[in-house]
């Protein structure tokens, strides 16, 4: 949503954008319902009362989102800065806001909805706080310039009488809004202490698409197929018993049900044959299983998320495992760029306040370290590092070891141990 940079933010302007956002909320609720396991199969037309009507849903969306977010930032993002004082202030800010959990929720929301928002505000003791917001009750409007800079944001909700209440965040102030949607009014205004809009958007991709949005039709097809398979099983358990060449009266049927015994003789067809069997329907088991397998493979292939519960996945190691994770790694790298850009905006706002005791440009020197949460073959890494010793620098060789979090520190430790060992050997020789 865009608006003229020179335009005035009035109650009427906010009302129009709220109406636009309400149209988008239906999509957001559909996506979160998918994540929570509330699928289309549950709202299909009911079958006749005498027919089995299973409504099974396999929660691929939740599996995809949780697997990817665990892979992307199951290991929290690390921040470093060349200025120790600035780093101390950043760590204090992160600890105050439980930033590891904050960033985990932002990543999950971005995967589900395609976007998420973070609001920065000052508490009673001028400490900077952050809180994540769902796009179901918050949206941002950008200016219509080529850079599309954030212009204002709105957070709102409704009470039981359908009265709206919320806030409009602009570049200069925060404005309270209330009333019916068609009769919005501005209330109390509060000065915006930040240099820019105090709202940051985190988004999964430029199109703001959910990670599983492209496979919704496949998930719905899978649920329909597996539900019909369950119906077939019920049909099998409820088969008809067929008597050929014999007449069965009501008393015989009751005896069969009670005693589970069928004994007919002396009656039958012209040859005296009596045939009792179940009426069987055609079996499409192999066809259904092939369809379910194909849909499962397509769902994971198109979302680019690895099916780590697959039996063949656990037997892979080394290069084979890297190839299986390649697609998800590429997806994570693309998301990482968007995520880091939003982190820069967050810390730019933090550094813009003099009360935080850091320079306003300190955010430019923050270095982020994203570590993928994936299985590691330590033995193979150690062998590679050994082969690289003498061919590359010591730092390069040690960088392949996932058990070494800080290569420079590890190199210093090695050199220190070597020097201590040399001194010890020299003293021993002198003795």
């Amino acid at each position: 949503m865009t608006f003229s940079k020179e335009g005035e933010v009035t109650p009427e302007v906010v009302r129009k954008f709220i109406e636009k956002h309400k149209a988008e909320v239906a999509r957001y609720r559909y996506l979160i319902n998918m994540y929570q396991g509330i699928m289309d199969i549950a709202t299909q037309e009911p079958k006749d009362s005498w027919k089995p009507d299973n409504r099974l849903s396999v929660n691929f969306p939740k599996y995809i989102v949780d697997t990817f977010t665990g892979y992307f930032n199951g290991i929290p993002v690390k921040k470093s800065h060349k200025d120790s004082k600035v780093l101390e202030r950043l760590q204090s800010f992160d600890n105050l806001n439980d930033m590891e959990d904050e960033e985990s929720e932002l990543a999950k929301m971005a995967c589900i909805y395609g976007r998420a928002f973070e609001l920065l505000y000052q508490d009673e003791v001028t400490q900077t706080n952050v809180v994540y917001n769902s796009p179901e009750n918050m949206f941002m409007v950008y200016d219509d310039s080529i850079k599309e800079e954030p212009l204002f944001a709105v957070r709102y909700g409704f009470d039981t009488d359908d009265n709206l209440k919320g806030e409009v965040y602009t570049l200069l102030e925060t404005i309270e809004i209330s009333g019916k949607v068609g009769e919005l009014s501005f209330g109390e205004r509060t000065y915006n202490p930040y240099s820019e809009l105090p709202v940051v958007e985190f988004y999964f991709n430029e199109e703001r698409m959910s990670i599983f949005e492209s496979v919704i039709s496949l998930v719905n097809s899978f649920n329909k197929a597996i539900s019909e398979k369950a119906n077939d099983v019920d049909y099998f358990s409820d088969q008809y018993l067929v008597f050929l060449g014999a007449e069965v009266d009501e008393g015989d049927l009751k005896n069969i049900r009670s005693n589970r015994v069928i004994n007919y003789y002396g009656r039958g067809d012209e040859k005296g044959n009596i045939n009792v069997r179940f009426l069987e329907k055609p079996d499409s088991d192999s066809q259904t299983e092939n369809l379910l397998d194909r849909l499962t493979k397509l769902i994971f292939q198109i979302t680019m998320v690895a099916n780590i519960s697959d039996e063949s996945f656990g037997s892979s190691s080394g290069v084979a495992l890297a190839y299986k994770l390649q697609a998800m790694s590429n997806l994570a790298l693309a998301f990482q760029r968007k995520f880091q850009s939003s982190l820069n905006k967050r810390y730019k706002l933090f550094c813009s306040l003099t009360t935080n005791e850091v320079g306003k440009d300190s955010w430019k020197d923050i270095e982020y370290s994203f570590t993928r949460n994936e299985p590691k073959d330590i033995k193979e890494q150690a062998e590679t590092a050994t082969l690289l010793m003498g061919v590359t620098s010591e730092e390069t060789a040690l960088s392949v070891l996932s058990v070494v979090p800080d290569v420079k520190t590890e190199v210093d430790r090695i050199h220190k141990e070597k020097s201590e060992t040399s001194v010890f050997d020299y003293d021993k020789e002198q003795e």
Side-chain angles (χ1 to χ4, degrees):
M1 291 186 280
T2 58
F3 186 64
S4 173
K5 196 172 184 178
E6 289 75 28
E8 182 183 359
V9 181
T10 64
E12 179 62 18
V13 169
V14 173
R15 183 192 68 79
K16 289 181 178 179
F17 280 109
I18 288 178
E19 292 291 352
K20 289 183 179 180
H21 179 254
K22 285 172 67 178
E24 185 74 5
V25 167
R27 168 177 165 266
Y28 293 141
R29 288 179 178 166
Y30 182 83
L31 292 171
I32 190 63
N33 282 342
M34 291 282 290
Y35 177 79
Q36 293 173 345
I38 306 171
M39 311 281 187
D40 286 359
I41 190 71
T43 57
Q44 285 190 346
E45 288 293 324
K47 295 182 183 293
D48 295 332
S49 58
W50 53 273
K51 291 183 178 181
D53 192 10
N54 291 284
R55 306 295 180 93
L56 305 181
S57 59
V58 180
N59 204 336
F60 282 108
K62 179 175 174 58
Y63 184 92
I64 290 167
V65 170
D66 292 353
T67 298
F68 179 78
T69 53
Y71 173 77
F72 175 72
N73 70 339
I75 300 175
V77 182
K78 295 179 182 178
K79 296 108 180 178
S80 60
H81 199 281
K82 61 183 180 181
D83 189 327
S84 59
K85 291 183 179 179
V86 173
L87 180 59
E88 184 180 346
R89 294 297 300 164
L90 293 175
Q91 290 174 341
S92 177
F93 170 56
D94 282 4
N95 293 336
L96 172 68
N97 291 280
D98 196 7
M99 206 62 80
E100 291 183 5
D101 180 66
E102 172 83 6
E103 290 168 2
S104 176
E105 289 300 318
L106 285 168
K108 186 175 78 172
M109 275 189 183
C111 288
I112 296 172
Y113 298 108
R115 54 155 51 104
F117 297 100
E118 184 177 68
L119 171 66
L120 283 81
Y121 65 95
Q122 298 299 107
D123 61 17
E124 295 80 1
V125 292
T126 69
Q127 289 182 315
T128 304
N129 291 259
V130 298
V131 60
Y132 55 82
N133 273 269
S134 160
E136 287 189 56
N137 66 349
M138 193 170 196
F139 64 89
M140 185 180 290
V141 178
Y142 297 84
D143 65 38
D144 55 2
S145 66
I146 193 170
K147 294 183 68 176
E148 294 186 345
E149 297 286 348
L151 195 58
F152 67 91
V154 180
R155 185 176 69 89
Y156 68 97
F158 295 92
D159 61 18
T160 53
D161 297 323
D162 207 29
N163 291 313
L164 182 147
K165 189 175 182 181
E167 300 87 27
V168 178
Y169 304 93
T170 70
L171 298 173
L172 299 177
E173 57 189 352
T174 299
I175 310 169
E176 292 186 358
I177 55 174
S178 59
K180 299 290 185 181
V181 176
E183 302 173 351
L184 280 183
S185 61
F186 282 177
E188 184 179 350
R189 298 170 183 252
T190 308
Y191 169 71
N192 174 24
Y194 302 97
S195 61
E196 297 180 5
L197 195 70
V199 179
V200 179
E201 181 183 7
F202 288 75
Y203 50 98
F204 185 67
N205 49 42
E206 198 65 33
E207 296 75 27
R208 273 66 169 179
M209 285 182 62
S210 165
I211 190 173
F212 58 82
E213 199 161 357
S214 58
V215 296
I216 286 177
S217 62
L218 296 177
V219 173
N220 288 331
S221 295
F222 187 98
N223 292 336
K224 184 177 180 181
I226 200 169
S227 295
E228 290 300 333
K229 179 63 179 175
N231 290 339
D232 287 343
V233 173
D234 286 351
Y235 274 122
F236 180 79
S237 302
D238 208 16
Q239 289 185 90
Y240 290 96
L241 189 62
V242 179
F243 293 84
L244 298 177
E247 183 179 355
V248 186
D249 57 29
E250 188 69 24
D252 290 333
L253 290 176
K254 289 181 179 179
N255 182 56
I256 292 170
R257 282 198 296 266
S258 301
N259 301 316
R260 301 291 195 270
V261 175
I262 300 174
N263 186 9
Y264 277 95
Y265 52 90
R267 288 180 287 175
D269 56 17
E270 296 177 355
K271 298 181 180 180
N273 295 324
I274 298 174
N275 185 6
V276 182
R277 61 181 175 82
F278 281 105
L279 182 64
E280 297 181 3
K281 62 179 295 185
D283 182 19
S284 61
D285 186 69
S286 60
Q287 184 179 3
T288 303
E289 289 299 321
N290 288 336
L291 175 61
L292 294 175
D293 288 344
R294 176 64 62 87
L295 288 172
T296 301
K297 290 177 181 178
L298 285 174
I299 287 170
F300 287 104
Q301 180 180 345
I302 294 174
T303 57
M304 300 171 67
V305 175
N307 183 8
I308 58 177
S309 62
D310 187 81
E311 293 179 0
S312 63
F313 196 88
S315 60
S316 303
S317 61
V319 177
L321 181 62
Y323 274 115
K324 288 191 175 184
L325 294 173
Q326 184 65 47
M328 188 160 65
S329 177
N330 292 338
L331 186 65
L333 283 171
F335 183 34
Q336 176 181 319
R337 297 184 185 100
K338 306 297 184 186
F339 203 83
Q340 182 169 322
S341 176
S342 298
L343 290 178
N344 279 331
K345 293 175 183 177
R346 171 208 286 169
Y347 289 106
K348 182 179 181 181
L349 288 168
F350 174 78
C351 294
S352 68
L353 297 181
T354 55
T355 53
N356 288 326
E357 300 175 358
V358 292
K360 66 177 183 178
D361 293 327
S362 297
W363 64 273
K364 296 179 180 179
D365 295 319
I366 299 175
E367 294 184 1
Y368 305 95
S369 177
F370 291 80
T371 305
R372 303 288 175 256
N373 188 16
E374 59 187 19
K376 306 292 184 183
D377 190 338
I378 305 299
K379 181 181 178 182
E380 184 175 312
Q381 291 177 355
E383 291 173 351
T384 303
T386 303
L387 291 172
L388 290 175
M389 287 292 185
V391 179
T392 65
S393 67
E394 195 172 12
E395 287 190 17
T396 302
L398 291 174
S399 66
V400 303
L401 296 172
S402 58
V403 294
V404 179
D406 189 334
V407 175
K408 291 184 178 179
T409 302
E410 188 67 20
V411 170
D412 292 340
R413 288 175 180 171
I414 293 173
H415 291 168
K416 183 179 179 181
E417 288 180 358
K418 286 182 178 179
S419 62
E420 289 175 352
T421 302
S422 298
V423 171
F424 176 77
D425 291 341
Y426 176 78
D427 291 340
K428 193 174 181 180
E429 287 178 3
Q430 292 299 314
E431 292 176 359

